[in-house]
Amino acid sequence: MMTNDFLFLEREDYPHYYHLCSDGELTPQFIDNDDDFRVAFNLVGVCAANSDVRVLAFSIEDTHLHSLLYGTKAGCVAFKTLYEESWVHHIGRVRGTRKGADIELELIPIDSEDYLMNVGTYTIYQATKDGKQVMPYDYRWGTGSMYFREKGYQSLWRTDDSGETLDLLKIEDYSERARQRLLCSRLSVPNYWMICGDILLPDNYVDVARFEQIYRTANCFRVFLGNSRNRDQIVQEKMAAFRGVSLEDTEARKYCKEIMEEQFGFKDVRRLDGLRRILLAQELRKRLRLSARQIASLALLPYKEVCKYI
């Protein structure tokens, strides 16, 4: 692990580790069926192929997802945006409505090696933590089965429910229409990438070696995987701090007007240009720790812009 992974977090041109996640309470209908799982799973690979990031781990749950990324902030933001837009397109096409499924991802920088180790195992432990009767290394919609394996291990995506081995194909074996159906996107992936049972294999793009380097040994990985109570509290507190708090709307507007008058000399947010609205958003976050959603409403900014600048 390079020493500058945590030293220069303010340098956006340096690669860093990021925890990409969503809030399940906001998307109760994120996943409806196995086909949704497949699409959400495959889209991770599609976005990895079209952004300058390394995916180290991820897990797709019924209401949310978690992923561990490594790259520059610009690269990770591009991945985040591609995933959100691709998912919205899929949901709008197959359901006719995005209600309850319009995912908004959060990109949380990781600032220490200890926290990185906790995020890595938290990410792949999601299915077991959320009550599914399955261990991380047997969960189909996550990457928990990929780490610290002996050579020659056959991945769980290579077999069907009855244990029969599935045919291994390449993207180049599919017609253009079949590719779009498989990927649920007009974006492309390399022709040599492998497919098995309509799954875009994570072996194509998941950086297993870098993930394993985080823990160095299988025993260290086992310890962090089993340290659930301490790990879950640490990661959940970080996510809560990043999301911020929500005040009553009346109280939040009062503080917002006070800050505007102090900073700009008037209380009407509509008089602010784009740059000053961003400055207002940053001040609301700094002073009040408001959530990005509430800041977007108060500063009259798109939610995605608020996430980008605060």
Side-chain angles (χ1 to χ4, degrees), residues 89-285:
H89 175 76
H90 163 71
I91 288 300
R93 181 176 58 82
V94 300
R95 298 187 196 173
T97 177
R98 290 153 36 188
K99 185 178 181 181
D102 191 359
I103 194 166
E104 292 177 344
L105 297 170
E106 297 159 341
L107 189 65
I108 305 175
I110 297 174
D111 56 8
S112 72
E113 185 173 357
D114 186 67
Y115 185 60
L116 173 63
M117 289 179 167
N118 281 305
V119 170
T121 52
Y122 184 90
T123 295
I124 64 173
Y125 202 74
Q126 284 297 297
T128 300
K129 183 182 76 67
D130 291 346
K132 291 185 172 64
Q133 297 301 305
V134 61
M135 294 302 291
Y137 43 76
D138 287 325
Y139 184 55
R140 185 173 181 79
W141 307 116
T143 59
S145 64
M146 302 182 73
Y147 313 108
F148 294 100
R149 293 290 191 178
E150 292 184 348
K151 291 182 179 180
Y153 169 77
Q154 181 165 287
S155 73
L156 57 83
W157 302 287
R158 291 294 313 279
T159 59
D160 62 18
D161 292 340
S162 63
E164 295 294 320
T165 300
L166 299 169
D167 291 335
L168 192 61
L169 302 172
K170 295 181 179 179
I171 283 290
E172 63 187 11
D173 297 325
Y174 288 75
S175 68
E176 185 63 30
R177 178 172 292 183
R179 292 185 198 187
Q180 290 187 13
R181 180 196 62 79
L182 176 76
L183 303 177
C184 289
S185 173
R186 294 186 180 276
L187 298 172
S188 63
V189 301
N191 281 334
Y192 60 85
W193 276 21
M194 308 302 294
I195 303 288
C196 198
D198 281 348
I199 296 295
L200 185 61
L201 294 179
D203 309 67
N204 294 308
Y205 59 89
V206 171
D207 193 341
V208 173
R210 179 171 279 273
F211 183 92
E212 292 180 346
Q213 286 170 7
I214 293 170
Y215 302 93
R216 300 181 181 87
T217 67
N219 191 51
C220 178
F221 176 62
R222 177 189 61 80
V223 169
F224 272 85
L225 192 62
N227 190 23
S228 60
R229 180 176 297 179
N230 185 49
R231 177 196 61 225
D232 292 355
Q233 180 180 352
I234 290 170
V235 176
Q236 288 167 3
E237 286 178 354
K238 191 82 164 185
M239 288 191 293
F242 184 84
R243 288 168 181 162
V245 299
S246 291
L247 300 177
E248 289 292 334
D249 287 346
T250 301
E251 186 177 10
R253 281 195 294 270
K254 172 179 174 291
Y255 285 125
C256 182
K257 289 179 179 179
E258 289 177 358
I259 291 172
M260 279 192 293
E261 186 171 32
E262 174 191 322
Q263 296 287 319
F264 310 115
F266 47 80
K267 299 181 178 182
D268 187 354
V269 68
R270 290 170 296 184
R271 294 178 60 185
L272 299 180
D273 59 20
L275 176 59
R276 288 192 289 180
R277 291 187 190 189
I278 290 170
L279 294 174
L280 172 63
Q282 292 171 337
E283 201 67 23
L284 289 168
R285 180 67 169 183

Side-chain angles (χ1 to χ4, degrees), residues 38-58:
R38 181 188 64 80
V39 173
F41 192 86
N42 286 349
L43 281 177
V44 177
V46 172
C47 295
N50 290 275
S51 55
D52 188 19
V53 301
R54 297 182 186 180
V55 177
L56 276 63
F58 69 94

